Amino acid sequence: MSEGASKAQEKRKIQAIKGVRDILPPETALWNRVEQTAHEVFATYGFSEIRLPIFEETELFARSIGAETDVVSKEMYSFDDRDETSISLRPEATASVCRAYIQHNMQQLPQPVKLYYMGPMFRRERPQKGRYRQFYQIGAEVLSHTGDLKDDARVDAEVIEMLTTFFEKAGLEGTALYLNSIGCKECRPKYVELLRAALTKVKDKLGPDSQRRIETNPLRVLDSKLESEQAIIEKLPRIAEHLCPDCLEEYTEVKKQLAMRGISYAQNFRLVRGLDYYMRTTFEITAPGLGSQNAVCGGGRYDGLVELLGGPPTKGIGFAIGTDRVILSLQDMRKLPVERALDVYVAWMGEKNYPAAVKIARRLREAGLAVELPPGEMKFGKALGLADKLGARYALIIGDDEVASGQFTVKRLEDGEQKKLGERELVAYLKAGEAP
Ligand code: ATP
Ligand code: MG
């Protein structure tokens, strides 16, 4: 490379990768609030946090999510490690929770095991509003080897109750819950054949994607947003009418349990999940202000997944909330973050008074006040201007007189009221005036 070329390259501004974004203040305050709400609500339902790796063996996802799904076949970020094991950035975390459950013999713990996680996921999708290549999920899973169908239904309903509580506490309004059962390995294959046959009859009226899916994954046709296919989809056979007795019993019980809890829902026969491991109860929650990417949570039951990954027979139910979309919806509703306000701006003058400013700033911070101490000396007017811009409630003036007398001048910026106070009264005065 010529020197000129490398110079030009040095100067090129490096941008974040397509589909990946920075989350900046003050928005981060909203993220923290939402995540804190999840920590609190989930704890009240007896869930504990699990922290999982960001990357795993590719096979974990291929085996659990399904090699034929969009997520695994084209959306994963995969690379070979030095020993040539294929590794992937996680596109979701249920597989990892199940892997961890097996690896740490959690079947020996009191059942059910209730875990939640939060963090980034990675899928190479077409970026658009509410759809990113690095996005965030808050999810929870209940794993257990005990209980009958009726117990399962109660667990499903409690998990959904926890979700509605979370959305309510997070301040999200206008959410809708959609419910479906997608059967089990007994009844679903029979239904899929029925669906395939019905789709084959109308094949020439379908778009190319759906035509292809007749062979690869007919359930996904139900998910189609294509305008011309909507009337056709309405007339297709519906799985709820083809469930086996066990699936029907559980589905009926889940609905009863939701009604008992006063949770409203709409049944949606078109709700199929994009990941292979789901069975029976599936659900989705939508929120306003998101355009077509309006699903803020997807979830369902996945009995058998742990077994598929080499563990003991285990039932599972879980969900993943799309945090980015929750934030977008809150912003759309003008539920904007309230950042911690700055309490005190220290306007110090005279190099020799800097140590006194450091000392008092530390004292105030120890008392829990938010304090800005500028590193360089400033003219008084400029310092006050900055204090104002930063939204400080008080300016604390430290100059020769203050240091000599031990009496500090404090100015309330809202109305300009000034007071001279010793260090101890100063702390008490500022604390008393603290924003609630
Ligand atoms: P969608 O139909 O919106 O693609 P999905 O079925 O792929 O969703 P899941 O895999 O069930 O979604 O993930 C659960 C939630 O994670 C979704 O409801 C959504 O809120 C969020 N989510 C999924 N993919 C993305 C993405 N690329 N960017 C932002 N959020 C996402
Ligand atoms: Mg998707």
Side-chain angles (χ1 to χ4, degrees), residues 123 125 130-132 135 137 273-275 278 295-298 320-322 324-325:
R123 296 181 195 174
E125 300 193 77
R131 194 177 291 291
Y132 312 103
F135 62 100
Q137 287 186 336
R273 313 288 321 144
L275 319 177
Y278 284 112
V296 289
C297 175
I321 297 162
D324 307 74
R325 294 186 193 173

Side-chain angles (χ1 to χ4, degrees), residues 93-106:
T94 301
S96 299
V97 173
C98 292
R99 194 243 336 114
Y101 180 88
I102 299 165
Q103 188 172 337
H104 304 287
N105 291 315
M106 291 193 220

Side-chain angles (χ1 to χ4, degrees), residues 339-349 353-354 356-366 368-378 382-398 409-411 413 426 430:
E339 278 220 298
R340 171 99 164 79
L342 182 61
D343 294 308
V344 184
Y345 192 89
V346 183
W348 60 276
M349 275 140 287
N353 297 320
Y354 181 64
V358 168
K359 185 165 160 259
I360 193 97
R362 181 185 288 191
R363 175 84 198 270
L364 298 177
R365 285 165 174 160
E366 271 168 11
L369 294 156
V371 177
E372 186 66 25
L373 173 68
E377 194 180 357
M378 249 180 273
K382 188 173 172 204
L384 280 190
L386 262 173
D388 222 33
K389 264 199 196 132
L390 292 171
R393 292 183 309 110
Y394 297 96
L396 180 64
I397 298 146
I398 301 180
T409 308
V410 59
K411 181 177 166 121
L413 294 171
L426 179 67
L430 292 171

Side-chain angles (χ1 to χ4, degrees), residues 71 75 91-92 123 125 130-137 220 223 225 272-275 278 284-285 292-299 319-326:
V71 170
E75 295 173 359
E92 57 98 46
R123 296 181 195 174
E125 300 193 77
R131 194 177 291 291
Y132 312 103
R133 292 180 168 181
Q134 174 172 337
F135 62 100
Y136 293 79
Q137 287 186 336
R220 291 293 286 185
D223 214 16
K225 308 259 172 1
V272 292
R273 313 288 321 144
L275 319 177
Y278 284 112
E284 189 166 275
I285 296 174
S292 53
Q293 269 64 250
N294 67 347
V296 289
C297 175
F319 62 78
I321 297 162
T323 320
D324 307 74
R325 294 186 193 173
V326 172

Side-chain angles (χ1 to χ4, degrees), residues 173-189:
E173 286 162 17
T175 57
L177 167 66
Y178 296 97
L179 193 67
N180 194 18
S181 171
I182 55 168
C184 64
K185 59 179 187 298
E186 296 303 319
C187 54
R188 187 162 31 164

Side-chain angles (χ1 to χ4, degrees), residues 74-93:
K74 44 187 200 216
E75 295 173 359
M76 281 210 296
Y77 288 94
S78 304
F79 54 95
D80 284 344
D81 205 355
R82 284 212 199 138
D83 64 1
E84 290 176 11
T85 330
S86 176
I87 281 177
S88 294
L89 298 185
R90 61 183 190 190
E92 57 98 46

